Amino acid sequence: MEDLNHPTNYGLSASREEPAEETAANPLPRAVLRLNNHVLLDGEWRFAIDTEDVGLRDGWHLGRYYEYKASWPGSVEEHIAKAHGQPEPAAWHDKVVVWYEREFELPTRGEPQDSSMFQLTFGACGYETRVWLNGRLLRTIEGEEVHYGEYTSFSYELREENLRPVNRLTVRIADTMDAETPRGKQESHVYKRGGIWYQTYTGAVRSVWLEMVERNRLRSRVGVVSVVEDQLVRFNFTLRIHDPGHYVVRLQVFERSASPDSVPLASSDFPMRLEAGQREQRLPMELPGARLWSPDSPNLYRLVAQLIDESGYVAQIESHFGLRKIESRGCYVYLNNERTYLDGILYQPGTATYEEMRRHMHAMKALGCNLVRVHIAGVDPRLYNLADELGLLLWVEVPSPHSSTPRSRENHQAELLRMLALIETHPSVVIWSLYNEDWGAQDIATNPETRRYIVDTYHYMQIAHPQFLVVDNDGWHHISHTGRLKSDLLTAHLYTPDLTRWQELLDRLVNGEMEGTAAFPLVVGDPFFYRRQVPLIVSEWGGFGFPDYGGPQDAEARTASIAAFKQELRRRPIAGDVYTQATNIEDERNGLIDPHSGALSVPEGLLKSHGEEKPQG
């Protein structure tokens, strides 16, 4: 093999990481960075509403007149409302089909052209997306003519023979209120808008960009599993190969702020023979003396990963990562082998901009939280980067379907796998919920097939993604099989505005009463006997200010109640809690943080545990 330090590919404008404090409108929503370049295709697109769903039959992708304009990114609901001259986002209750189209000039690029290609990426779009280039239907890298899902990115490699100096890009987006598709808390045929169910916000919701990538490369997804006792990191890579041959994967780890010409802390080469196609590969590295990542010390390192071919041509990606270990042991949670109480808050960003979400994250940290439960939604991936930097643990959840059927379980599994592929880089992500309060698993107590799917998925997560704690069904109706809980945490949603009732519920919970605490029994399936063998988390409580939950509504009384309720939690052998919630959203008026400015309506540090409170037992 010849010179392994051959210069990397180059091109349009560098795709670099944006600082956390910067307010750039659209840095790319992904964790991995490339030395190549990108052109955002955001902005004004032509827009049409396919009310009768005739566009496919009539060949709209071959060319048509578009009546309206729409700004991408944005929601279908906003675009329909603007087209009809309505001030509020449009409501729809069955099916919506819309089309977008624009032209783009093919950027000039450097040599060697035979080593690179153009790639088109959608940060998120859906639920059902078809894309045409100059009237030709594209397939995703995974081979999909139709991409399903609306929470994660997907990409198309653009073949040279199909490109022109000026290209026409056409996108068809279809969605329904089908309860079998992952919807989170957006309304459906089952759950109508109002109360805790929100208006739909779907379609062209994140940026779309064109970039130059190498024909043979590491894709923009990196999984990280660390073994802190051995100072060992196992990286999971996805390799995309067009030209079979012998390659070397070179990994180098630097201090996060190290200069480009600094000496790596660790470096290792992995030679391998690669065939055409896509494959996953795990590669281990030792990092002697590495500092661990935690909320108090969010230590991050920079990974430079290079795929080097036989001629010495280098395809490179970069990512930050941290070493950390999360574990449920007995009745407590341990982070990096130290018992850690989870001071959490429920977060529903809704339609917040990234700048607003950044303010929210800083405010949640100021409240004293070390954990943010990102509730039942897919969010802008930049949020995970920010949590890594701030030192906030994240509890993420699969957007749930609204009915329990074989098809809804297939859709749920597909959404989970898509999310995992793009989120497992981040040390901040420590907990996953498969379901919440039976949404999409309403027959969990009576249907063995539903329980079997959840148990199988839990076991898969244990084996394939051991860096996470996994909750089967958050709030109640956890699954017991042969007396063993198929969840790493026993969680309960407890709502009462009365302090005496609160004390009673907590006492019943820690004493192992599985019925009569939450709204439904805490465990279903085989008999389960709680003897402090699993951590207890009160994963929703409070709701003060939300009319359905009662409780104080003015800031001073709310502050006093939160402090008193929190004190009762810390007096008991409970592993953590999640106050509901961070910001107001639609009908839920129980937030502690202004949704726009990020200002707190309660004192800083209110949700932080204090050392003088000693749990019993």
Side-chain angles (χ1 to χ4, degrees), residues 430-469:
V430 294
I431 304 173
W432 282 77
S433 283
L434 302 180
Y435 287 91
N436 176 77
E437 292 187 354
D438 303 351
W439 303 339
Q442 292 91 337
D443 56 357
I444 190 171
T446 58
N447 188 346
E449 291 299 318
T450 299
R451 292 199 297 273
R452 185 176 298 113
Y453 165 71
I454 296 173
V455 169
D456 288 347
T457 305
Y458 170 73
H459 288 159
Y460 164 78
M461 293 289 288
Q462 282 188 312
I463 295 169
H465 302 280
Q467 71 270 41
F468 304 123
L469 299 181

Side-chain angles (χ1 to χ4, degrees), residues 26-293:
N26 278 298
L28 300 186
R30 65 183 179 195
V32 171
L33 312 174
R34 291 191 174 276
L35 290 183
N36 61 1
N37 36 54
H38 70 274
V39 172
L40 279 172
L41 299 182
D42 294 351
E44 186 177 87
W45 289 56
R46 296 186 292 276
F47 176 67
I49 306 167
D50 192 355
T51 306
E52 302 300 323
D53 194 11
V54 298
L56 286 175
R57 183 197 68 191
D58 293 348
W60 287 13
H61 58 282
L62 298 175
R64 79 178 301 271
Y65 171 72
Y66 284 75
E67 301 92 329
Y68 309 111
K69 305 289 186 183
S71 181
W72 191 310
S75 72
V76 164
E77 293 75 22
E78 291 173 339
H79 295 159
I80 293 175
K82 184 178 179 181
H84 292 159
Q86 300 169 350
E88 297 295 326
W92 50 276
H93 299 288
D94 186 18
K95 180 178 181 178
V96 62
V97 180
V98 293
W99 293 69
Y100 297 81
E101 190 168 275
R102 64 159 290 168
E103 278 77 38
F104 66 89
E105 293 185 6
L106 193 66
T108 57
R109 56 176 173 170
E111 301 290 340
Q113 294 190 12
D114 58 354
S115 297
S116 61
M117 62 174 57
F118 285 105
Q119 178 175 283
L120 179 70
T121 299
F122 290 76
C125 187
Y127 180 72
E128 176 188 313
T129 307
R130 289 176 170 87
V131 180
W132 291 263
L133 178 69
N134 300 321
R136 186 185 298 269
L137 182 64
L138 299 179
R139 291 177 178 265
T140 67
I141 294 178
E142 285 70 32
E144 309 162 311
E145 288 189 352
V146 182
H147 175 77
Y148 294 98
E150 60 180 295
Y151 303 105
T152 54
S153 65
F154 54 98
S155 298
Y156 302 88
E157 294 173 340
L158 306 184
R159 298 177 61 174
E160 201 73 30
E161 61 267 27
N162 297 332
L163 290 166
R164 303 170 184 170
V166 177
N167 298 271
R168 179 168 52 89
L169 189 62
T170 310
V171 181
R172 176 188 183 271
I173 301 172
D175 201 356
T176 72
M177 290 196 177
D178 180 0
E180 293 181 314
T181 62
R183 304 199 58 79
K185 291 184 72 173
Q186 299 180 96
E187 68 173 319
S188 70
H189 293 313
V190 172
Y191 299 124
K192 298 300 183 182
R193 184 184 178 190
I196 65 169
W197 303 104
Y198 310 143
Q199 179 172 333
T200 55
Y201 185 86
T202 188
V205 294
R206 289 191 203 136
S207 293
V208 55
W209 63 91
L210 182 72
E211 63 183 321
M212 198 187 313
V213 298
E214 298 80 8
R215 284 174 51 83
N216 308 299
R217 63 192 183 278
L218 300 164
R219 292 199 66 192
S220 298
R221 51 190 68 181
V222 180
V224 180
V225 181
S226 52
V227 183
V228 300
E229 293 85 357
D230 298 330
Q231 297 179 319
L232 181 73
V233 182
R234 292 171 287 183
F235 296 105
N236 298 325
F237 293 98
T238 301
L239 298 102
R240 176 65 171 167
I241 303 298
H242 284 268
D243 306 306
H246 292 280
Y247 291 84
V248 168
V249 176
R250 174 172 294 167
L251 303 185
Q252 296 176 310
V253 175
F254 299 84
E255 293 283 357
R256 178 84 191 281
S257 58
S259 62
D261 57 351
S262 62
V263 176
L265 300 174
S267 180
S268 191
D269 285 4
F270 302 87
M272 60 188 78
R273 165 78 188 183
L274 297 174
E275 302 299 329
Q278 181 165 294
R279 59 173 290 181
E280 294 184 4
Q281 179 68 47
R282 172 171 286 186
L283 301 174
M285 282 193 74
E286 291 182 290
L287 290 178
R291 301 181 305 277
L292 302 184
W293 183 96

